[in-house]
Amino acid sequence: LFRSAMTPYSTLLGQVGKQVNLRTGEEWEFTQQYVEDLKSLEVELGNPRVQTLLAVDEGDELLDYNVAVEMLTMHASVLCFPGGNHRFTHIDEVIPYIKNMQDRMYL
């Protein structure tokens, strides 16, 4: 998980309605159904069949990384990087961890 909004379905409720694509100016509708669909994808924490890696930048200006860390510490491998931002600037440092997890899946 990167830049983890742990309950995006509750955060996004405030965005239901007309939206504007900032790049094209095109208007579109963000619906309640989108929020419900997102909630339906939620995975149970602590499922032993799902390897979970949380990687966060402590400098994320949009999401409080502590929320994700508190929720996942008992259920995931957690990597916290000092600094950074919401765009997650430490991907190069995380790739070896991802490859290691992938290698263990196929043993």
Side-chain angles (χ1 to χ4, degrees):
L1 303 171
F2 296 98
R3 301 176 300 179
S4 298
M6 296 308 297
T7 56
Y9 40 84
S10 60
T11 307
L12 290 172
L13 278 174
Q15 301 302 315
V16 170
K18 289 191 182 210
Q19 302 293 323
V20 176
N21 182 313
L22 298 176
R23 180 180 238 170
T24 66
E26 179 183 0
E27 289 189 6
W28 60 285
E29 185 82 16
F30 184 73
T31 68
Q32 178 73 32
Q33 185 62 52
Y34 293 155
V35 176
E36 292 170 17
D37 290 346
L38 182 60
K39 184 161 177 50
S40 75
L41 298 173
E42 187 173 33
V43 176
E44 175 187 353
L45 291 178
N47 183 335
R49 296 180 304 170
V50 178
Q51 290 187 60
T52 306
L53 172 67
L54 171 67
V56 295
D57 272 348
E58 293 176 356
D60 189 324
E61 65 278 10
L62 298 178
L63 299 173
D64 181 352
Y65 77 95
N66 290 297
V67 173
V69 170
E70 287 175 21
M71 286 182 75
L72 291 173
T73 294
M74 300 300 291
H75 309 288
S77 298
V78 177
L79 301 173
C80 291
F81 295 95
N85 56 47
H86 187 66
R87 297 183 83 179
F88 192 73
T89 60
H90 293 92
I91 190 67
D92 290 338
E93 292 96 326
V94 175
I95 296 216
Y97 290 93
I98 294 170
K99 287 181 178 178
N100 183 272
M101 288 177 77
Q102 182 182 22
D103 290 345
R104 288 192 320 238
M105 286 174 31
Y106 298 108
L107 289 177

